[in-house]
């Protein structure tokens, strides 16, 4: 309990006994976790492997672990920010929770660099679970897979992650050969289990029953750490395999939306039919436990841009009409500014603009992102 | 999975299949949980029994369950807010997570009514755990109890709650006779366990070992639901018992602070000595898993006000100097405004003032709270 603070490089101070870490924005979350693993702690937010802490804060990112651990904003204890006028603020000291004044951590996290430069942060850490497992099952349809996933969440089985990949995505992974095995070309659920040894066993048995009740295959489970990585690799390689599929000169449109849990099976099904009827080549992948869903489309920019744009726009409008959001974790940037008003309304948007103006009156920070003046 | 939305009164719409509920601010969280329990869902943030949703949003409240479930801001999906200029905004639609624009949920939650009137909210719900348990153990000293609690958190045993009560508090509960049994007049830890049946058993055994390694008594555990309420009642009655102890004309000063986890044992020990050396009658109680700690002092306003004020001020300064916060869950109100600058710095405070001015330029909403113009 009295482990002294440690450093993993000159910029990163870990206080193991308070379960937190001070890091700077260019630190990779994966390198950070590797460096501190002997402490028994880890940072549980897991976006794409190349992500750095600064970008993770800017977009309020999440990832596969969000269903268990929440999103980036839930793990920020304080932020040191250089403001547009050159002043430097630190949003808080180092309490794990506080009700002192406005929640500036929650405001700067997800503001996409429009309010200031984050130069340092203190992040909460979590305990590395005693035991973990990875599970995979296939389903005849996306709806059956989505139903199984939502039932698992709805019944409160504390899975570490539950991810849905469609048949196209599984086929692409096979074609690119990134994972050292062949997968069935079927809608597939990937699970992470984590907790105590006994707890993980218990969760696996509960999931097995629900998978079987929803026309799923036998649940394949791996409890050996090294073999888990292999089994999870299909999920990990999903996006990269799609990128590798790209023909020379072709482009990729990758996007995400999120909807209330009960609407996810509908959204997935309609979006899939839409892709097919437009004759587009796209794969689907979702963090089902959060109602968050990604579509990646490969296309010939010269011929198909308008078609792809229509397909994505229709999906985003559909998600918003289902009471969802145009982005669950990627952020607005330039590409989704046009949806902001439909999603949050002119009133909320004017409050956001007012906040921006109060902090950055000359619109200096990342101008043109999220919304216009 | 297709349970239709339900209502528990004319204002409250529950969508069980999306695990959320639409409620208005005067709804009691306890009545809400009672009304929806047949759905298998509950709202896990548990402040004092009389709390209403509106006040819970205003203060970003938490409670004993925060160590497992987080605080109020983590459970807000959207807010409908009447702004100072009369416009009505809804911060979001209904996604469980979003990265679309600034996090207005996180800004209005905890703003203590200074930015607008919240008239409606959609809240996430959680699954009622399959099994629960309540445990109690006594310790020879506050430090031993605090050490046991921080070890339990540090080792990642997923307890539902871990609360520390000091010997004074236990004696007061005995004197007021609110719980139908006599407790040892010793520092005491109260635990909630929750999860699957097997998981709860496993956690109880892990906690039992740590308690025993820290000079604790045999861990008394209750798994029968009705008897759990009796065992937990001491924790529940802590504040009320203190209030009942008040002599006619005497007053109560109740306050909370939070510090990094590793500093909690020091803070508890120093604050206890301070109370004793000043000859004041006060009890202590803490949400140890969050580093959050409450002190309640009974005093004769005519004679002891300055002494109590000094004692509380010293504790708050001590907490801030330990890199903590002047309030973990109660909020700033009028009483803690003076600590804001020391805690967050003039820069952060000026950002908060700027946000306030951008939304409420005439300082109409709850003026004088949190900070001054």
């Amino acid at each position: 309990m009295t482990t002294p603070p440690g450093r993993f490089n000159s910029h990163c101070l870990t206080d193991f006994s308070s379960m937190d870490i001070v890091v700077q924005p260019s630190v990779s979350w994966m390198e950070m976790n590797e460096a501190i693993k002997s402490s028994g702690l880890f940072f549980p937010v897991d976006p794409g492997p190349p992500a750095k802490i600064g970008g993770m804060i800017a977009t309020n990112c999440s990832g596969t672990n969000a269903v268990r651990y929440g999103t980036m904003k839930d793990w920020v204890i304080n932020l040191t920010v250089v403001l547009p006028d050159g002043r430097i603020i630190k949003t808080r000291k180092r309490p794990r929770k506080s009700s002192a004044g406005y929640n500036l951590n929650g405001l700067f996290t997800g503001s996409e660099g429009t309010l200031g430069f984050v130069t340092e942060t203190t992040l909460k850490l979590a305990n590395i679970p005693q035991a973990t497992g990875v599970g995979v099952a296939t389903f005849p349809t996306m709806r059956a897979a989505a139903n199984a996933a939502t039932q698992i969440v709805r019944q409160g089985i504390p899975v570490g992650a539950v991810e849905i990949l469609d048949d196209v995505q599984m086929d692409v992974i096979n074609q690119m050969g990134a994972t050292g095995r062949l997968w069935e070309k079927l809608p597939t659920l990937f699970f992470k289990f984590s907790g105590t040894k006994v707890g993980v066993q218990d969760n696996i048995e509960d999931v097995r029953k629900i998978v079987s009740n929803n026309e799923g295959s036998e649940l394949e489970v791996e409890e050996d750490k090294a073999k888990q990585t292999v089994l999870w690799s299909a999920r990990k390689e999903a996006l990269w395999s799609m990128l590798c599929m790209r023909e020379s000169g072709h482009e990729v449109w990758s996007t995400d939306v999120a909807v209330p849990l009960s609407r996810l099976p509908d959204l997935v099904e309609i979006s899939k039919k839409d892709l097919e009827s437009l004759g587009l080549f796209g794969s689907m992948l979702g963090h089902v436990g959060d109602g968050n869903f990604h579509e990646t489309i490969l296309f010939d920019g010269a011929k198909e841009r308008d078609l792809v744009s229509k397909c994505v726009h229709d999906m985003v409008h559909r998600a918003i009409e289902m009471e969802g959001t145009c982005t669950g974790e990627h952020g607005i940037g330039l590409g989704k500014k046009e949806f902001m008003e439909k999603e949050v309304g002119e009133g909320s948007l004017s409050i956001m603009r007012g906040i921006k103006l109060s902090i950055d009156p000359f619109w200096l920070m990342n101008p043109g992102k999220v919304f216009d003046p």
Side-chain angles (χ1 to χ4, degrees), chain A:
Chain A
M1 294 314 298
T2 53
T3 327
R7 283 179 182 276
F8 81 84
N9 68 32
S10 60
H11 302 303
C12 306
L13 182 68
T14 317
D15 179 356
F16 301 131
S17 59
S18 287
M19 297 177 67
D20 59 24
I21 185 166
V22 180
V23 287
Q24 299 194 341
S26 65
V27 167
S28 141
W29 69 274
M30 292 191 72
E31 285 173 23
M32 174 173 85
N33 276 341
E34 188 58 30
I36 63 173
K37 70 181 178 190
S38 65
S39 69
L41 299 171
F42 80 120
F43 186 68
V45 184
D46 66 330
K52 302 286 201 301
I53 298 297
M56 293 162 68
I57 291 167
T59 57
N60 183 28
C61 78
S62 37
T64 70
N65 293 343
V67 64
R68 166 74 70 90
Y69 291 102
T71 65
M72 194 66 191
K73 67 178 175 356
D74 306 325
W75 293 86
V76 170
I77 290 179
N78 64 45
L79 297 168
T80 302
V81 184
V82 180
L83 299 175
D85 63 7
R87 283 181 302 160
I88 299 171
I89 62 164
K90 188 168 171 181
T91 54
R92 288 204 182 287
K93 294 195 183 287
R94 211 156 59 88
R96 265 178 111 79
K97 73 178 192 192
S98 175
S99 285
Y102 300 164
N103 175 10
L104 299 186
N105 291 338
L107 179 65
F108 282 97
T109 304
S111 64
E112 302 190 28
T114 61
L115 299 176
F117 290 114
V118 173
T119 56
E120 192 166 86
T121 179
T122 306
L123 301 172
K124 295 180 198 177
L125 297 172
N127 293 281
I128 296 176
Q130 199 185 91
T132 57
V134 166
V136 179
T138 58
F139 295 81
T141 61
M142 280 298 269
R143 182 166 285 270
N147 280 343
T150 43
Q151 273 173 43
I152 286 160
V153 173
R154 185 58 190 75
Q155 289 186 26
I157 302 165
V159 288
V162 46
E163 299 280 306
I164 194 169
L165 276 65
D166 77 346
D167 53 335
V168 175
Q169 182 66 69
M170 296 311 295
D171 191 38
V172 165
I173 293 165
N174 281 339
Q175 289 188 47
M176 291 300 105
T179 66
R181 70 178 260 182
L182 275 182
W183 303 84
E184 284 199 82
K185 194 188 158 185
L186 282 173
T188 305
L189 288 182
F190 286 80
F191 300 95
K192 280 188 201 169
F193 301 100
S194 69
T196 60
K197 260 193 163 134
V198 175
V200 163
Q201 277 311 321
D202 194 37
N203 299 338
I204 289 171
E205 290 322 307
D206 287 342
V207 166
R208 200 183 290 282
K209 278 177 219 149
I210 294 176
V211 165
S212 150
N213 289 343
N214 284 280
E215 310 171 69
S217 66
E218 180 63 23
L219 180 72
E220 180 184 350
V221 176
E222 192 52 73
E223 288 171 69
D224 175 85
K225 283 261 181 203
K227 292 183 187 161
Q228 279 176 28
T229 310
V230 177
L231 201 57
W232 190 256
S233 66
R235 168 62 190 85
K236 202 103 189 164
E237 296 298 333
L239 177 63
W240 313 113
S241 295
M242 276 301 279
L243 295 180
C244 291
M245 281 288 285
R246 221 174 352 169
E247 288 172 45
S248 159
H250 283 200
E251 297 178 35
V252 172
W253 196 316
S254 174
T255 194
D256 90 308
V257 293
V259 290
L261 288 183
S262 61
R263 303 309 307 271
L264 194 73
D266 296 335
L267 181 71
V268 166
E269 201 167 71
I270 301 171
S271 301
K272 193 154 181 63
K273 279 189 190 143
D274 207 33
L275 268 182
E276 283 163 5
S277 72
L278 290 170
L280 291 170
F281 182 74
S283 66
M284 291 183 168
L285 177 160
H287 309 313
V288 212
D290 301 313
N292 184 200
F293 159 74
H294 298 249
E295 197 168 280
T296 304
I297 306 174
L298 300 185
F299 65 103
D300 178 346
K303 293 184 199 161
E304 297 174 312
R305 184 176 312 280
D306 291 349
L307 211 58
V308 176
S309 175
K310 178 184 167 5
C311 177
V312 169
H313 278 67
D314 288 352
M315 183 177 79
V316 172
H317 283 297
R318 204 176 292 133
I320 295 173
E321 279 150 25
M322 288 178 173
E323 295 189 86
T325 173
C326 67
T327 177
E329 57 186 32
H330 287 182
I332 297 295
L334 297 167
K336 284 186 171 167
K337 280 196 291 188
E338 66 185 286
F339 305 112
M340 282 292 286
E341 188 173 335
K342 177 166 180 175
E343 180 172 334
V344 304
E346 175 47 35
S348 295
L349 202 50
S350 78
I351 295 294
M352 294 183 197
R353 281 201 189 93
I355 292 169
K356 164 78 174 171
L357 271 173
S358 80
I359 298 176
D360 183 14
F362 303 107
W363 220 267
L364 300 174
M365 308 301 289
N366 215 2
K369 300 292 167 59
V370 189
F371 45 72
D372 292 310

